[in-house]
Amino acid sequence: MQSFYCRIMEEFIMTPNIPTHAVAGLGEQTKAIHAGEYPDPSTRASSPNIVMSTTFVSDAETGFSVEGLSENDPFIYTRWGNPTIRQLEEKVAALEEAETAIAFASGMAAASTLLFHTLKAGDHAVVSDVAYAALAEITNEMVPGLHIGITKVDTSDLDALRAAIQANTRIIYIETPCNPLLRLTDIAAVADMAHRAGAKLAVDSTFATPAATRPLLSGADFVIHSMTKYLGGHGDALGGILLGSKADLTPLRKKTAIRMGGVISPFNAWLIMRGIATFPLRMRAHQENALQIARRLEQHPEVKRVIYPGLPSHPQYELAQRQMKNFSGILTFQVENGKEQARKFAERLQIIHYAVSLGHHRSLIFYLDSKDLQHTSFQLATPRQQESWNAFAGEGIFRLSVGLEDAADLIADLEQAMT
Ligand SMILES: *Cc1c(COP(=O)(O)O)cnc(C)c1O
């Protein structure tokens, strides 16, 4: 008699269907370990194999075009679907409680595929005025070049957001907490506003992660993650994922994702899947370390201001408590002379890496100069937008992605580099 998991794996391996029934109702850490993973029925290997094959042996009835592809078809070609990638999609879908998911080569591949699938010439989108830099840049230049209207707005300001919506608005795109300000947006309120206007809501939840928020349960239509960050968690694989309903994502996969081709390597999918096994545990440790360091920095004589959603001094602490179950591991702080301090950090830090990116087990710090960023990525148009930027960032901020090292060692490393 074949074991329970081997039967599921046999069912899974033959079709790209996601058998989410296997983990529904289980706890977060159990899902992180087991969702999408089944022993290999032929070898009985307990850990997942990596299927690197780009093509799959077909039968004579298999069609040649993606148009005829159905969800129940066997795997044909890895750009269309691959068992290892599908296992990762199932795992993240289980964590987000999403009906389905599509993995991509990077977070930007996920975000750009969503925008190019949803928006046609003559349409309009409302986008957070402060967001991941590459997202800010494509919506400043590339998307408007296709005769698609874009309005940038501070999405934490619900009145400004309401005023930005037009009759042809198809999508509202937010990040909460947003990169790099750690400013929050009320997901449920914006979902309601989007749906009243006949638009969809997309939430980049990379900073929050599913340990903090599940935007789909608050009414969002799409969730985007850069899996390069907390989900992968170890700084060794780029990846992105888009989650939502089958009604939205099945046509998106067929019409746009497969054709644009921003497919994740099965090797990266496997690395990220391995990283996710410890994801809920890591998020608790990230939060604990970040809170300790945020409190210490608040007391430091050189530090003018610390922004962390888990501190009562965060300007939106009430919303943070209502919306986030975990405050994640990213904080920002300001000092008097940021550029000079950046030089000191780059030269003197011994544990924390002076490097971009975030969400790794290793702590990372980087200086973000307000003048530079506003010149390149963010073109804040109104005095009110500028005011909100200043409330969070002033002249510039250090973004510290607090890793999983011992907090006392991280504090000592920061302090020796700040004297
Ligand atoms: C890193 C990041 C992205 C882009 O992800 P890549 O994997 O680098 O393409 C998008 N959004 C946020 C909030 C990010 O931090």
Side-chain angles (χ1 to χ4, degrees), residues 106-109 132 175 179 204 206-207 226-229 238-239 358:
S106 68
M108 278 312 298
Y132 184 71
E175 261 178 38
N179 187 4
D204 180 331
T206 300
F207 274 40
S226 168
M227 297 189 292
T228 315
K229 315 294 170 51
L238 287 174
L358 51 103

Side-chain angles (χ1 to χ4, degrees), residues 105-147:
S106 68
M108 278 312 298
S112 57
T113 303
L114 172 63
L115 292 177
F116 288 114
H117 177 79
T118 310
L119 296 166
K120 307 278 175 278
D123 288 345
H124 175 255
V126 179
V127 179
S128 172
D129 63 352
V130 177
Y132 184 71
L135 191 282
E137 289 155 10
I138 64 166
T139 48
N140 283 343
E141 296 162 22
M142 199 182 283
V143 180
L146 301 171
H147 302 286

Side-chain angles (χ1 to χ4, degrees), residues 49-372:
N49 297 327
I50 312 177
V51 179
M52 287 299 287
S53 190
T54 58
T55 193
F56 296 82
V57 174
S58 304
D59 53 34
E61 281 73 50
T62 307
F64 192 66
S65 159
V66 79
E67 276 301 334
L69 196 65
S70 119
E71 259 197 88
N72 299 317
D73 283 345
F75 293 106
I76 299 168
Y77 184 56
T78 282
R79 180 155 47 74
W80 301 4
N82 166 287
T84 308
I85 298 172
R86 195 54 60 89
Q87 286 184 273
L88 171 66
E89 290 169 346
E90 182 189 345
K91 196 184 276 299
V92 184
L95 289 172
E96 279 288 358
E97 299 184 55
E99 223 172 69
T100 193
I102 308 174
F104 291 87
S106 68
M108 278 312 298
S112 57
T113 303
L114 172 63
L115 292 177
F116 288 114
H117 177 79
T118 310
L119 296 166
K120 307 278 175 278
D123 288 345
H124 175 255
V126 179
V127 179
S128 172
D129 63 352
V130 177
Y132 184 71
L135 191 282
E137 289 155 10
I138 64 166
T139 48
N140 283 343
E141 296 162 22
M142 199 182 283
V143 180
L146 301 171
H147 302 286
I148 294 162
I150 297 281
T151 303
K152 296 283 180 103
V153 69
D154 169 2
T155 57
S156 74
D157 180 345
L158 295 178
D159 293 332
L161 185 53
R162 197 173 292 110
I165 295 173
Q166 304 177 3
N168 56 346
T169 302
R170 299 278 171 266
I171 194 163
I172 298 177
Y173 192 103
I174 66 173
E175 261 178 38
T176 181
C178 78
N179 187 4
L181 296 184
L182 301 178
R183 191 174 67 195
L184 312 181
T185 292
D186 186 329
I187 299 168
V190 177
D192 185 51
M193 207 183 284
H195 297 154
R196 281 170 197 273
K200 303 270 188 187
L201 173 62
V203 181
D204 180 331
S205 194
T206 300
F207 274 40
T209 85
T213 58
R214 313 240 166 98
L216 299 172
L217 304 185
S218 300
D221 301 284
F222 300 103
V223 173
I224 296 117
H225 288 286
S226 168
M227 297 189 292
T228 315
K229 315 294 170 51
Y230 285 109
L231 287 167
H234 296 77
D236 51 14
L238 287 174
I241 200 157
L242 175 63
L243 303 109
S245 69
K246 285 190 179 173
D248 284 330
L249 292 195
T250 302
L252 188 150
R253 186 193 287 276
K254 222 156 121 169
K255 293 271 174 213
T256 311
I258 290 175
R259 289 171 176 158
M260 287 180 81
V263 178
I264 190 170
S265 158
F267 183 59
N268 279 12
W270 182 85
L271 280 171
I272 293 169
M273 191 154 55
R274 181 188 158 116
I276 292 174
T278 55
F279 162 75
L281 290 168
R282 283 190 282 109
M283 291 316 293
R284 289 205 282 281
H286 278 298
Q287 168 178 257
E288 197 178 299
N289 269 0
L291 192 57
Q292 271 194 59
I293 292 169
R295 286 191 180 128
R296 277 296 276 271
L297 285 172
E298 266 196 329
Q299 305 302 320
H300 196 284
E302 298 291 322
V303 174
K304 290 199 295 190
R305 173 146 208 206
V306 179
I307 302 270
Y308 178 63
L311 283 181
S313 59
H314 188 284
Q316 298 160 292
Y317 185 59
E318 183 275 325
L319 176 59
Q321 285 200 304
R322 180 153 47 88
Q323 187 164 277
M324 301 176 79
K325 278 196 301 161
N326 173 294
F327 298 117
S328 199
I330 304 155
L331 59 88
T332 69
F333 61 95
Q334 290 160 263
V335 301
E336 201 54 63
N337 188 345
K339 280 205 165 133
E340 177 53 28
Q341 184 56 56
R343 211 166 298 125
K344 285 192 197 167
F345 279 142
E347 282 168 14
R348 293 192 198 166
L349 285 171
Q350 296 176 11
I351 296 169
I352 301 167
H353 286 186
Y354 189 85
V356 294
S357 202
L358 51 103
H360 303 173
H361 59 330
R362 195 177 286 111
S363 293
L364 305 171
I365 195 167
F366 207 76
Y367 183 59
L368 302 160
D369 183 284
S370 289
K371 280 208 190 76
D372 275 2

